[in-house]
Amino acid sequence: MVASGVEMLREYNFDGLVGPTHNYAGLSPGNLASANHAGEQANPRAAALQGLAKLRFVAALGVPQAVLPPQPRPDVGALRRLGFSGDDAAVLTRAAEGDGQLLRLASSASAMWTANAATVAPSADTLDGRTHLLPANLVTMFHRSLEPPTTTRVLRAIFDDASRFEVHEPLPATEHFADEGAANHTRLATGAGAAHLFAWGRRAWGEAPRPARFPARQTLEASRAAARALRLPSELALTWQQTPAGIDGGAFHTDVLAVGTEGFLMLHERAFVEHERLLAELGARLGDEFRFVVASEAELSVADAVAAYPFNSQLVRLPTGRLAIVAPRESEACPAARRFLERVVSEANPVDAVHYIDVNASMKNGGGPACLRLRVALGDDDAHALGARVLFDDALGGELEAWVGRRYRDRLTADDLRDPALLDETRGALDELTQILRLGSVYEFQRAAQ
């Protein structure tokens, strides 16, 4: 916990619910898992239940949990903006012609990875004492660039008390301000103060080393703009470059090679350029309470780190005040990753345990436990002021599991995306979900019907 005046803040993990069109389309260059599993048959029902099981497990550890809803897919509105016309069935049929890539892009369930939904600054850190949320524009990948309008409406429905929260408009949607959200942001805090580490892969203006193989998604300019939008004092914001070698190795976001919370950071030596200088800077800002663990390339290769995702684990605070790591089963199965995590637990740092969970449906598209959650630090009064039923408890969990069982298919291939019945099923499912979560009309198809 961290103090904010007389109020204590707790970190809530807002987990993204897996959407009804969960599939394996291989849409993200630089995401090796996504590319390697492209074209496989998916099971949206099992994937969604797997995500809910992860959420339940973390909640059982005593960690506050919440949920964020999926987005409507296929995005027929986006396809119409690309020139397809006719009724919905005709739009889907025409977009599926040829290799069907445009339909696959408009059908991605990628909003499930809510680490990319926004960047968050808690009230303890901001100039006006409110919690600020900046939805990411995600302009680097077309299928993800479709998410920000709905994400913004959803966040504004939840964080609707303007005296406590501000949900900003995303940064301008250009390559110069390409913003990937909290997947490239880490907040660290000790008794000495806080530091917001904003990672970036390229500069929009000026020279900096770039990866040769895969795109660098976050710009320095976006990271600086995000810090300003979040109303952070300049002394709390720290921008640092990802290594081009790490990006080329498959670390398309920083959270593939680094994860931190409170006064603890674990990272690969190829997560950031001049990582030793970065750690010295963080130590100067955070004081003697700051702890870190670095994996060398010899101990754990970037290739193994990208395949097993030990750094895309959740670092969660237990009721004891200590930390635990929630890692994917793939990290347990990889000897080098497992040994590294065992070392983290054995050394003198705040981590007491590592738990391995099955999120394989997400991992096959390049998302581990950390990708599936957006961290928001809230006081008790802030949590009670949320404008929707998104805080997780057993009752909500049971309703969501039953909803998935009723509404989701247990088989989905690329050919199924052209089926108008799938579009109707998805809209019906999401309309019901907004009633369960008491979100109101946050989807465009709901707003159009009013």
Short mmCIF file of all heavy atoms in Angstrom, two decimals, residues 176-206:
data_model
loop_
_atom_site.label_atom_id
_atom_site.label_comp_id
_atom_site.label_asym_id
_atom_site.label_seq_id
_atom_site.Cartn_x
_atom_site.Cartn_y
_atom_site.Cartn_z
N HIS A 176 3.87 9.61 -34.69
CA HIS A 176 4.76 10.42 -33.86
C HIS A 176 4.45 10.24 -32.38
O HIS A 176 5.35 10.36 -31.54
CB HIS A 176 4.64 11.89 -34.24
CG HIS A 176 4.87 12.17 -35.68
ND1 HIS A 176 3.84 12.12 -36.61
CD2 HIS A 176 5.99 12.47 -36.37
CE1 HIS A 176 4.33 12.40 -37.81
NE2 HIS A 176 5.63 12.61 -37.70
N PHE A 177 3.18 9.98 -32.05
CA PHE A 177 2.77 9.83 -30.66
C PHE A 177 2.18 8.45 -30.41
O PHE A 177 1.17 8.30 -29.73
CB PHE A 177 1.77 10.94 -30.29
CG PHE A 177 2.39 12.31 -30.32
CD1 PHE A 177 2.20 13.15 -31.41
CD2 PHE A 177 3.19 12.75 -29.28
CE1 PHE A 177 2.79 14.41 -31.45
CE2 PHE A 177 3.78 14.01 -29.31
CZ PHE A 177 3.58 14.83 -30.40
N ALA A 178 2.84 7.44 -30.97
CA ALA A 178 2.38 6.06 -30.81
C ALA A 178 2.51 5.64 -29.35
O ALA A 178 3.59 5.62 -28.79
CB ALA A 178 3.21 5.13 -31.71
N ASP A 179 1.37 5.30 -28.76
CA ASP A 179 1.29 5.02 -27.33
C ASP A 179 0.69 3.64 -27.10
O ASP A 179 -0.39 3.34 -27.59
CB ASP A 179 0.43 6.10 -26.65
CG ASP A 179 0.25 5.87 -25.16
OD1 ASP A 179 1.11 5.20 -24.55
OD2 ASP A 179 -0.75 6.38 -24.60
N GLU A 180 1.40 2.80 -26.35
CA GLU A 180 0.98 1.42 -26.11
C GLU A 180 0.46 1.19 -24.70
O GLU A 180 0.26 0.04 -24.29
CB GLU A 180 2.15 0.48 -26.40
CG GLU A 180 2.61 0.50 -27.84
CD GLU A 180 1.64 -0.20 -28.78
OE1 GLU A 180 1.30 -1.37 -28.53
OE2 GLU A 180 1.22 0.43 -29.78
N GLY A 181 0.26 2.25 -23.93
CA GLY A 181 -0.35 2.11 -22.62
C GLY A 181 0.59 1.58 -21.56
O GLY A 181 1.82 1.70 -21.64
N ALA A 182 0.01 0.94 -20.54
CA ALA A 182 0.76 0.53 -19.36
C ALA A 182 1.71 -0.62 -19.63
O ALA A 182 2.55 -0.93 -18.76
CB ALA A 182 -0.20 0.15 -18.24
N ALA A 183 1.64 -1.25 -20.78
CA ALA A 183 2.62 -2.29 -21.12
C ALA A 183 4.02 -1.70 -21.25
O ALA A 183 5.01 -2.44 -21.21
CB ALA A 183 2.23 -2.99 -22.42
N ASN A 184 4.12 -0.39 -21.41
CA ASN A 184 5.41 0.29 -21.46
C ASN A 184 5.56 1.29 -20.31
O ASN A 184 6.31 2.27 -20.43
CB ASN A 184 5.59 1.00 -22.80
CG ASN A 184 6.06 0.05 -23.89
OD1 ASN A 184 6.68 -0.96 -23.60
ND2 ASN A 184 5.76 0.38 -25.13
N HIS A 185 4.87 1.04 -19.20
CA HIS A 185 4.91 1.96 -18.06
C HIS A 185 4.97 1.16 -16.77
O HIS A 185 4.25 0.17 -16.61
CB HIS A 185 3.67 2.86 -18.06
CG HIS A 185 3.47 3.63 -16.80
ND1 HIS A 185 2.57 3.24 -15.82
CD2 HIS A 185 4.05 4.77 -16.33
CE1 HIS A 185 2.60 4.11 -14.82
NE2 HIS A 185 3.49 5.04 -15.10
N THR A 186 5.82 1.58 -15.85
CA THR A 186 5.92 0.94 -14.55
C THR A 186 5.98 2.01 -13.47
O THR A 186 6.81 2.92 -13.55
CB THR A 186 7.19 0.07 -14.45
OG1 THR A 186 7.18 -0.91 -15.48
CG2 THR A 186 7.26 -0.64 -13.10
N ARG A 187 5.11 1.89 -12.48
CA ARG A 187 5.18 2.80 -11.33
C ARG A 187 5.85 2.07 -10.18
O ARG A 187 5.46 0.97 -9.80
CB ARG A 187 3.78 3.24 -10.89
CG ARG A 187 3.81 4.16 -9.65
CD ARG A 187 2.42 4.48 -9.15
NE ARG A 187 2.47 5.40 -8.03
CZ ARG A 187 2.47 5.03 -6.74
NH1 ARG A 187 2.43 3.75 -6.42
NH2 ARG A 187 2.51 5.94 -5.77
N LEU A 188 6.87 2.70 -9.62
CA LEU A 188 7.57 2.19 -8.46
C LEU A 188 7.44 3.20 -7.33
O LEU A 188 7.40 4.42 -7.58
CB LEU A 188 9.05 1.95 -8.78
CG LEU A 188 9.32 0.93 -9.90
CD1 LEU A 188 10.77 1.03 -10.36
CD2 LEU A 188 9.00 -0.48 -9.43
N ALA A 189 7.36 2.72 -6.09
CA ALA A 189 7.19 3.65 -4.97
C ALA A 189 7.76 3.03 -3.69
O ALA A 189 7.60 1.84 -3.44
CB ALA A 189 5.72 3.99 -4.77
N THR A 190 8.43 3.86 -2.91
CA THR A 190 8.93 3.49 -1.60
C THR A 190 8.61 4.64 -0.64
O THR A 190 7.98 5.63 -1.03
CB THR A 190 10.46 3.28 -1.63
OG1 THR A 190 11.09 4.54 -1.93
CG2 THR A 190 10.86 2.24 -2.67
N GLY A 191 9.07 4.50 0.59
CA GLY A 191 8.89 5.59 1.54
C GLY A 191 9.59 6.86 1.13
O GLY A 191 9.23 7.96 1.57
N ALA A 192 10.59 6.74 0.23
CA ALA A 192 11.33 7.92 -0.23
C ALA A 192 10.62 8.66 -1.35
O ALA A 192 10.98 9.80 -1.65
CB ALA A 192 12.73 7.50 -0.69
N GLY A 193 9.64 8.03 -1.99
CA GLY A 193 8.94 8.68 -3.09
C GLY A 193 8.54 7.70 -4.17
O GLY A 193 8.62 6.48 -3.98
N ALA A 194 8.11 8.24 -5.29
CA ALA A 194 7.62 7.43 -6.41
C ALA A 194 8.38 7.78 -7.67
O ALA A 194 8.95 8.87 -7.82
CB ALA A 194 6.13 7.65 -6.63
N ALA A 195 8.40 6.82 -8.60
CA ALA A 195 8.99 7.04 -9.92
C ALA A 195 8.14 6.33 -10.96
O ALA A 195 7.78 5.16 -10.78
CB ALA A 195 10.42 6.50 -9.97
N HIS A 196 7.80 7.05 -12.02
CA HIS A 196 7.06 6.48 -13.14
C HIS A 196 8.04 6.26 -14.28
O HIS A 196 8.56 7.21 -14.86
CB HIS A 196 5.92 7.40 -13.57
CG HIS A 196 4.78 7.45 -12.61
ND1 HIS A 196 3.57 6.84 -12.87
CD2 HIS A 196 4.68 8.01 -11.37
CE1 HIS A 196 2.77 7.03 -11.83
NE2 HIS A 196 3.41 7.73 -10.91
N LEU A 197 8.29 4.99 -14.59
CA LEU A 197 9.24 4.62 -15.64
C LEU A 197 8.48 4.42 -16.94
O LEU A 197 7.68 3.49 -17.07
CB LEU A 197 9.98 3.35 -15.24
CG LEU A 197 10.95 2.75 -16.26
CD1 LEU A 197 12.03 3.75 -16.64
CD2 LEU A 197 11.56 1.47 -15.69
N PHE A 198 8.70 5.32 -17.89
CA PHE A 198 8.07 5.25 -19.21
C PHE A 198 9.10 4.72 -20.21
O PHE A 198 10.12 5.37 -20.45
CB PHE A 198 7.59 6.63 -19.66
CG PHE A 198 6.44 7.19 -18.87
CD1 PHE A 198 6.68 7.91 -17.70
CD2 PHE A 198 5.14 7.00 -19.29
CE1 PHE A 198 5.62 8.44 -16.97
CE2 PHE A 198 4.07 7.52 -18.57
CZ PHE A 198 4.32 8.24 -17.41
N ALA A 199 8.84 3.57 -20.78
CA ALA A 199 9.76 2.98 -21.75
C ALA A 199 9.36 3.37 -23.17
O ALA A 199 8.18 3.53 -23.48
CB ALA A 199 9.76 1.47 -21.62
N TRP A 200 10.35 3.51 -24.02
CA TRP A 200 10.09 3.86 -25.41
C TRP A 200 11.07 3.12 -26.31
O TRP A 200 12.16 2.75 -25.90
CB TRP A 200 10.18 5.37 -25.63
CG TRP A 200 11.49 5.98 -25.23
CD1 TRP A 200 11.87 6.38 -23.98
CD2 TRP A 200 12.62 6.25 -26.09
NE1 TRP A 200 13.15 6.89 -24.00
CE2 TRP A 200 13.65 6.82 -25.28
CE3 TRP A 200 12.86 6.08 -27.45
CZ2 TRP A 200 14.88 7.21 -25.79
CZ3 TRP A 200 14.10 6.47 -27.96
CH2 TRP A 200 15.08 7.03 -27.14
N GLY A 201 10.65 2.92 -27.58
CA GLY A 201 11.46 2.16 -28.50
C GLY A 201 12.08 2.98 -29.62
O GLY A 201 13.07 2.56 -30.22
N ARG A 202 11.50 4.14 -29.93
CA ARG A 202 12.03 4.96 -31.02
C ARG A 202 11.69 6.42 -30.77
O ARG A 202 10.81 6.74 -29.95
CB ARG A 202 11.45 4.52 -32.37
CG ARG A 202 9.94 4.66 -32.48
CD ARG A 202 9.42 4.15 -33.81
NE ARG A 202 7.97 4.12 -33.86
CZ ARG A 202 7.20 5.14 -34.25
NH1 ARG A 202 7.77 6.29 -34.61
NH2 ARG A 202 5.89 5.03 -34.26
N ARG A 203 12.38 7.29 -31.48
CA ARG A 203 12.10 8.71 -31.45
C ARG A 203 11.38 9.11 -32.73
O ARG A 203 11.74 8.66 -33.83
CB ARG A 203 13.38 9.53 -31.32
CG ARG A 203 14.15 9.30 -30.05
CD ARG A 203 15.34 10.23 -29.93
NE ARG A 203 14.91 11.64 -29.89
CZ ARG A 203 15.57 12.61 -29.27
NH1 ARG A 203 16.69 12.32 -28.62
NH2 ARG A 203 15.14 13.85 -29.30
N ALA A 204 10.36 9.94 -32.60
CA ALA A 204 9.69 10.47 -33.79
C ALA A 204 10.54 11.55 -34.45
O ALA A 204 10.55 11.67 -35.68
CB ALA A 204 8.32 11.03 -33.41
N TRP A 205 11.22 12.33 -33.63
CA TRP A 205 12.11 13.38 -34.12
C TRP A 205 13.45 13.20 -33.43
O TRP A 205 13.53 13.02 -32.23
CB TRP A 205 11.54 14.76 -33.81
CG TRP A 205 10.25 15.03 -34.53
CD1 TRP A 205 10.10 15.34 -35.84
CD2 TRP A 205 8.94 15.03 -33.96
NE1 TRP A 205 8.76 15.52 -36.14
CE2 TRP A 205 8.03 15.32 -35.00
CE3 TRP A 205 8.43 14.78 -32.69
CZ2 TRP A 205 6.65 15.40 -34.81
CZ3 TRP A 205 7.07 14.84 -32.49
CH2 TRP A 205 6.20 15.15 -33.54
N GLY A 206 14.51 13.26 -34.19
CA GLY A 206 15.83 13.06 -33.62
C GLY A 206 16.32 11.64 -33.84
O GLY A 206 15.57 10.77 -34.29
#
